[in-house]
Amino acid sequence: MGITGLFLILFLIVHVFLNSLIFMNDGGQTFNQGAEFMAHNWIIRAGEIVLFVGLLAHIYQGLKLTSENQAARPVKYAAYDGSANSKWYSRSMGLLGTLLLIFLIVHLSNFWVVSRFTGIPSDDQLGREDLFLVMREAFQNIWIVILYVLAMISLAYHLMHGFASAFQTLGWNHKKYSPIIKAVGFWYSIIISLLFALMPVALYTGIIK
């Protein structure tokens, strides 16, 4: 769980960097250039396979871990104060992960399937696939925008626990360094999720054209 979690954490850095190119606000030219590089680079394409294997493994492990935890305590405590020892989001990783899985299905159907299988409907001024146009049109739907924002809130809480937990699971914790890892994990969770959430909002409101 820790290994696949760290792998996905690294992937999010690459993914948010590429998508953040829309903030250049140049009609999607820089973003489309980055997307074209990602789509036609054999190393990246091979990495997609590894990514999906890691993602599926993480989902499976999360569901298995949640099931095992519930089976270990079939009868609930007569009195239980979870907040005494842990944050609510650390006790809700199963729920947060499920919400993110639903979001992921919608996200992949809107973008990855279109890009890889059905084909981009038009090209940009330089003849590249205009994935920016696909993104802009998708985020004209207020319900999709709301879904993305809510999903990014879930992602932030999921990462707040998962970041530090991944290091702890692998035994990479120390009283001297663990506070630093937790602080880095907190700001990583906020920045990554905020950037992802700002993209649909900026496109919907017309800040990015």
Side-chain angles (χ1 to χ4, degrees):
M1 193 68 176
I3 292 174
T4 56
L6 287 176
F7 173 73
L8 294 172
I9 284 171
L10 291 174
F11 162 75
L12 286 177
I13 295 176
V14 177
H15 195 45
V16 79
F17 170 75
L18 174 63
N19 286 0
S20 292
L21 294 177
I22 68 171
F23 292 120
M24 297 295 291
N25 207 7
D26 57 359
Q29 294 299 311
T30 304
F31 171 79
N32 284 337
Q33 182 179 0
E36 182 183 44
F37 170 78
M38 298 289 284
H40 296 90
N41 186 296
W42 69 269
I43 298 178
I44 300 299
R45 296 304 296 271
E48 283 185 351
I49 299 175
V50 179
L51 171 63
F52 271 100
V53 172
L55 180 60
L56 292 174
H58 192 72
I59 293 171
Y60 169 76
Q61 291 163 347
L63 293 173
K64 184 173 182 290
L65 183 61
T66 300
S67 177
E68 289 176 349
N69 288 340
Q70 292 175 346
R73 173 57 67 173
V75 179
K76 294 183 178 181
Y77 291 103
Y80 174 70
D81 183 12
S83 61
N85 299 307
S86 60
K87 300 291 186 180
W88 72 267
Y89 50 83
S90 67
R91 304 189 305 273
S92 305
M93 291 295 281
L95 174 61
L96 293 171
T98 300
L99 293 175
L100 288 173
L101 177 58
I102 295 172
F103 157 76
L104 187 61
I105 294 172
V106 175
H107 177 67
L108 290 176
S109 63
N110 280 338
F111 299 106
W112 186 77
V113 172
V114 172
S115 174
R116 294 293 184 267
F117 298 103
T118 62
I120 305 300
S122 62
D123 298 329
D124 66 8
Q125 296 176 0
L126 299 179
R128 296 181 296 242
E129 292 181 336
D130 199 346
L131 191 58
F132 175 76
L133 176 62
V134 176
M135 180 187 295
R136 187 174 61 187
E137 290 180 350
F139 291 141
Q140 294 310 301
N141 186 326
I142 184 60
W143 296 110
I144 293 181
V145 173
I146 291 174
L147 171 64
Y148 270 69
V149 172
L150 292 177
M152 291 309 101
I153 294 174
S154 297
L155 177 65
Y157 283 119
H158 194 77
L159 290 172
M160 281 181 192
H161 173 74
F163 190 100
S165 180
F167 285 89
Q168 182 175 349
T169 300
L170 296 172
W172 300 342
N173 55 335
H174 188 279
K175 62 180 182 180
K176 181 178 180 180
Y177 303 111
S178 291
I180 298 175
I181 292 174
K182 289 182 178 179
V184 171
F186 174 81
W187 287 110
Y188 169 90
S189 305
I190 296 298
I191 294 172
I192 291 289
S193 302
L194 183 60
L195 284 173
F196 275 129
L198 285 175
M199 295 175 197
V201 172
L203 285 166
Y204 180 78
T205 57
I207 295 176
I208 296 177
K209 301 183 182 297

